[in-house]
């Protein structure tokens, strides 16, 4: 029986994956900022769920996460699905700074905390939900695309560090395209919008297979392939 922690389990991708893990009978620690959403999951699965209110940008976030790990009795899989992003044509400073705080500062603090724990406790599996937006700099969402590139590079670097240390910590970088979740509810219409349950299933497959990188889905794999072929001088003019 696996012990799993899902950071950002209150809605969207994190919630959907959490429910699939619970259906498998896993013990799941769930964390987010919204108490009502966490309580709803715990009430539905009282024998499998432990909860913590955690704001990833708060100074006490790593300590609260450590407490959740202890209450769960350890952690085999850590899924970081917490994130923030908005379209920002006007380059609003508050949006940019908050995006960096959540997707970089909070991300690095909690991923690093879990890495230290797993490295000292016979390994584990760290899974990060980044985005295809990290593939190229997107003018409509500068900080979002930049922070998602940071996340993918950070996970790659920690995987190399783990190998250098001879550690048993494994990593998976999940890179979805546009997903039909509340995250995009107020952002207008998007092409190739994916069903969240299908995305969650693909994430579960990536966890089972211990994939290093998983772009979801096949349409976005084709899109990213061609994105990478576009030279910088042309990309910035599109």
């Amino acid at each position: 029986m696996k012990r799993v922690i899902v950071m950002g389990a209150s809605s969207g991708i994190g919630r959907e994956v959490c429910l699939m893990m619970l259906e498998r009978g896993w013990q799941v620690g769930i964390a987010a900022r919204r108490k009502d959403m966490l309580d709803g999951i715990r009430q539905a699965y009282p024998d499998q769920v432990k909860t913590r209110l955690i704001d990833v940008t708060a100074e006490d976030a790593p300590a609260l996460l450590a407490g959740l790990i202890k209450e769960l009795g350890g952690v085999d899989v850590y899924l970081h699905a917490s994130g923030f992003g908005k379209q920002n044509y006007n380059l609003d400073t508050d949006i940019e700074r908050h995006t960096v705080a959540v997707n970089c500062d909070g991300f690095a603090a909690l991923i690093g905390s879990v890495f230290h724990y797993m490295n000292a406790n016979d390994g584990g599996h760290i899974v990060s939900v980044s985005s295809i937006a990290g593939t190229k700099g997107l003018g409509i969402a500068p900080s979002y695309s930049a922070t998602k590139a940071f996340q993918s590079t950070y996970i790659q670097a920690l995987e190399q560090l783990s190998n250098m240390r001879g550690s048993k910590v494994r990593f998976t970088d999940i890179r979805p395209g546009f997903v039909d979740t509340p995250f995009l509810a107020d952002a207008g219409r998007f092409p190739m919008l994916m069903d969240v349950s299908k995305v969650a299933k693909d994430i579960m497959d990536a966890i089972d297979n211990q994939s290093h990188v998983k772009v979801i889905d096949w349409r976005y794999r084709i899109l990213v392939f061609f994105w990478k072929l576009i030279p910088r001088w042309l990309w910035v003019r599109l």
Side-chain angles (χ1 to χ4, degrees), residues 3-236:
R3 298 161 299 177
V4 183
I5 289 179
V6 180
M7 185 64 61
S10 61
S11 66
I13 293 173
R15 178 182 173 84
E16 197 70 22
V17 175
C18 169
L19 295 175
M20 289 186 178
M21 291 172 168
L22 289 167
E23 288 299 318
R24 289 191 178 191
W26 294 359
Q27 294 294 312
V28 183
I30 56 177
R33 293 185 302 163
R34 288 183 286 179
K35 183 177 185 297
D36 58 333
M37 301 298 287
L38 298 180
D39 287 346
I41 298 174
R42 181 173 57 187
Q43 290 165 9
Y45 298 88
D47 298 327
Q48 293 173 249
V49 173
K50 307 294 183 184
T51 66
R52 279 292 189 285
L53 287 177
I54 299 179
D55 179 346
V56 301
T57 66
E59 289 187 9
D60 65 350
L64 291 172
L65 176 57
L68 181 57
I69 293 173
K70 183 177 181 180
E71 186 178 359
L72 198 63
V75 59
D76 303 303
V77 178
Y78 174 78
L79 172 66
H80 193 97
S82 177
F84 178 82
K86 283 187 176 182
Q87 294 187 28
N88 195 10
Y89 291 97
N90 296 322
L91 204 63
D92 182 280
T93 300
D94 289 340
I95 292 175
E96 299 298 278
R97 293 181 66 177
H98 186 63
T99 305
V100 171
V102 174
N103 296 351
C104 292
D105 298 340
F107 175 88
L110 295 182
I111 293 287
S113 180
V114 174
F115 175 77
H116 285 306
Y117 176 86
M118 289 182 172
N119 192 54
N121 289 274
D122 204 33
H125 191 180
I126 295 175
V127 184
S128 163
V129 179
S130 60
S131 171
I132 65 159
T135 307
K136 289 282 191 180
L138 303 179
I140 61 171
S143 60
Y144 183 73
S145 59
T147 55
K148 289 302 175 178
F150 169 88
Q151 291 181 352
S152 293
T153 302
Y154 197 81
I155 288 295
Q156 182 185 60
L158 287 190
E159 186 170 18
Q160 185 184 67
L161 178 60
S162 181
N163 288 327
M164 291 166 62
R165 291 183 173 185
S167 171
K168 295 180 181 178
V169 184
R170 303 176 302 278
F171 297 87
T172 297
D173 179 12
I174 304 292
R175 302 177 186 176
F178 299 133
V179 185
D180 188 9
T181 67
F183 188 78
L184 294 181
D186 299 323
R189 298 182 63 182
F190 287 84
M192 299 193 296
L193 199 63
M194 298 183 291
D195 179 72
V196 67
S197 61
K198 172 63 168 60
V199 172
K201 183 179 182 304
D202 285 348
I203 291 174
M204 291 298 294
D205 289 343
I207 293 172
D208 291 339
N209 297 326
Q210 296 183 10
S211 305
H212 294 279
V213 177
K214 178 76 170 182
V215 177
I216 304 174
D217 59 6
W218 65 269
R219 297 168 298 174
Y220 287 101
R221 287 193 285 274
I222 294 173
L223 177 64
V224 167
F225 173 81
F226 284 107
W227 270 9
K228 290 181 178 179
L229 298 179
I230 300 174
R232 179 187 177 93
W233 67 266
L234 178 57
W235 177 263
V236 298

